[in-house]
């Protein structure tokens, strides 16, 4: 255990031990996204109390717990990740039925948002078992809190969490087209090996503000708000900027930025690159509200330009 966390573990026992922690319950626990000091006192106590610790990566979580001075025997660990969640959920349910307190953590942040855990929670709920959330670190909420993404005037409030965009080209183009028409704030997540690609793709949003939140809570944290068209240039200024995990906040459209002819054509171009003409026209009409007949004629013209 790091000496700096010895008092934290003692404080966790003092602050949280008197609370009720029912047996046979699944505890969904948020863990730090970079800074170990972001663990909560209640999380420390429940991690220590757990009969079984299910986690996305046992090696990663073992290192995390050692830093806090918490140790579990080999039989108390279960690996539960995106590739085995459905099957391993049944092993978790069996332990819950025995009256165990089972804790689930992902590698970082709040489970079951973009990380594994949602299928496990759904299985526990369907079995009539209790699920108890322990809130904590979240890259989504952290990025939103420092983005200053304010909906102007009577623009739509709230935000949309889109997570990671699809990797398949056609699905990704469709997702980007929907994003371009979404008037509310949109939060995306992206890995370092694809950040340059998404920066290029976001350029189609023009002057719409985007906040790039890189390596949140870590030593080299960097947060910048700039026009979507400038994201690629910002990344290119320093090679270091293309490293690390990103949370991306696409700010809301101005209330006068309703879908227009230019936006409709950009959406149509994106979809035509990957989809048949009629499908691209139908989706563009649904996304933008533009007339199908008008879009069909424009699609024919665009295809004709491509054949010149």
């Amino acid at each position: 255990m790091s000496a700096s966390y010895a008092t934290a573990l003692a404080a966790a026992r003092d602050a949280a031990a008197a609370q009720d922690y029912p047996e046979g319950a699944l505890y969904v626990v948020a863990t730090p996204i970079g800074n170990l000091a972001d663990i909560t006192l209640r999380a420390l106590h429940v991690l220590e109390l757990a009969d079984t610790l299910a986690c996305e990566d046992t090696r990663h979580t073992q290192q995390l717990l050692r830093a806090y001075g918490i140790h579990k025997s080999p039989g108390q660990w279960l690996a539960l990740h995106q590739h085995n969640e459905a099957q391993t959920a049944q092993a978790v349910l069996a332990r819950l039925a025995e009256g165990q307190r089972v804790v689930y953590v992902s590698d970082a942040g709040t489970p079951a948002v973009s990380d594994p855990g949602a299928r496990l929670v759904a299985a526990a709920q369907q079995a009539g078992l209790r699920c108890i959330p322990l809130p904590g670190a979240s890259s989504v909420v952290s990025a939103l809190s420092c983005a200053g993404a304010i909906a102007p005037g009577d623009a739509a409030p709230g935000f949309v969490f889109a997570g990671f965009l699809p990797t398949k080209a056609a699905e990704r183009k469709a997702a980007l087209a929907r994003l371009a028409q979404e008037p509310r704030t949109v939060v995306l997540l992206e890995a370092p090996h694809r950040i340059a690609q998404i920066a290029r793709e976001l350029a189609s949003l023009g002057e719409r503000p985007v906040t790039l939140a890189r390596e949140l809570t870590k030593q080299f944290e960097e947060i910048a708000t700039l026009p979507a068209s400038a994201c690629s240039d910002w990344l290119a200024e320093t090679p270091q900027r293309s490293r690390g995990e990103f949370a991306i906040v696409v700010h809301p459209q101005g209330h006068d930025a309703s879908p227009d002819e230019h936006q409709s054509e950009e959406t149509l171009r994106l979809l035509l690159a990957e989809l048949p003409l009629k499908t691209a026209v139908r989706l563009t009409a649904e996304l933008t509200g533009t007339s199908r007949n008008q879009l069909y004629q424009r699609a024919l013209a665009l295809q004709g330009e491509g054949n010149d």
Side-chain angles (χ1 to χ4, degrees):
M1 173 174 56
S2 171
S4 58
Y5 292 109
T7 54
L9 192 56
R13 294 167 184 151
D14 290 340
Q19 300 176 27
D20 181 37
Y21 300 94
E23 298 178 346
L26 174 65
Y27 295 82
V28 183
V29 178
T31 54
I33 57 177
N35 191 319
L36 291 180
D38 287 339
I39 194 76
T40 70
L41 294 178
R42 194 156 67 109
L44 284 175
H45 182 69
V46 168
L47 288 169
E48 190 174 38
L49 191 67
D51 300 304
T52 291
L53 190 57
C55 50
E56 188 175 2
D57 185 328
T58 55
R59 292 167 299 180
H60 176 89
T61 305
Q62 283 169 358
Q63 292 179 355
L64 179 72
L65 264 62
R66 278 198 294 268
Y68 299 129
I70 299 172
H71 302 278
K72 298 293 177 184
S73 65
Q76 291 181 287
W77 293 92
L78 277 178
L80 187 148
H81 44 74
Q82 63 176 337
H83 302 297
N84 73 350
E85 186 170 357
Q87 299 92 330
T88 308
Q90 299 308 309
V92 171
L93 296 185
R95 298 196 184 199
L96 290 171
E98 294 172 359
Q100 291 191 21
R101 298 182 182 94
V102 179
V103 168
Y104 183 71
V105 299
S106 56
D107 284 350
T110 303
V113 179
S114 63
D115 293 340
R119 287 185 175 87
L120 171 61
V121 170
Q125 291 175 338
Q126 289 169 5
L129 298 165
R130 186 173 177 184
C131 299
I132 302 174
L134 270 68
S138 164
S139 61
V140 174
V141 175
S142 298
L144 280 169
S145 71
C146 61
I150 302 172
D154 58 356
F159 72 93
V160 175
F161 175 57
F164 291 92
L165 292 180
T167 55
K168 293 183 178 179
E171 295 175 2
R172 189 175 179 87
K173 294 283 187 183
L176 285 163
R178 289 192 296 271
L179 188 158
Q181 301 304 323
E182 174 56 63
R184 294 169 292 179
T185 297
V186 180
V187 183
L188 305 168
L189 301 177
E190 196 51 272
H193 67 279
R194 292 203 310 177
I195 188 61
Q197 177 185 355
I198 197 171
R200 291 191 298 270
E201 293 165 339
L202 290 174
S204 64
L205 300 180
E207 295 302 301
R208 189 167 174 178
V210 170
T211 296
L212 299 176
R214 171 182 165 272
E215 292 288 82
L216 285 170
T217 79
K218 301 176 185 177
Q219 181 179 358
F220 298 108
E221 175 184 277
E222 195 168 7
I223 301 167
T225 299
L226 59 165
S229 58
C231 289
S232 288
D233 290 340
W234 182 82
L235 285 173
E237 286 176 5
T238 307
Q240 182 72 19
R241 284 181 176 166
S242 293
R243 301 170 187 167
E245 303 295 327
F246 280 81
I248 303 168
V249 180
V250 180
H251 291 229
Q253 293 179 356
H255 78 271
D256 59 344
S258 55
D260 57 21
E261 185 177 340
H262 174 72
Q263 288 177 319
S264 297
E265 181 160 327
E266 285 301 308
T267 300
L268 185 59
R269 284 181 185 273
L270 285 169
L271 295 178
L272 278 173
E274 302 295 339
L275 300 171
L277 185 146
K278 288 185 178 180
T279 304
V281 167
R282 176 178 58 80
L283 289 175
T284 303
E286 292 174 0
L287 290 166
T288 68
T290 306
S291 161
R292 282 200 189 190
N293 289 336
Q294 179 183 339
L295 289 169
Y296 187 79
Q297 295 304 317
R298 186 59 190 143
L300 291 174
L302 289 171
Q303 287 192 333
E305 293 173 7
N307 294 327
D308 290 342

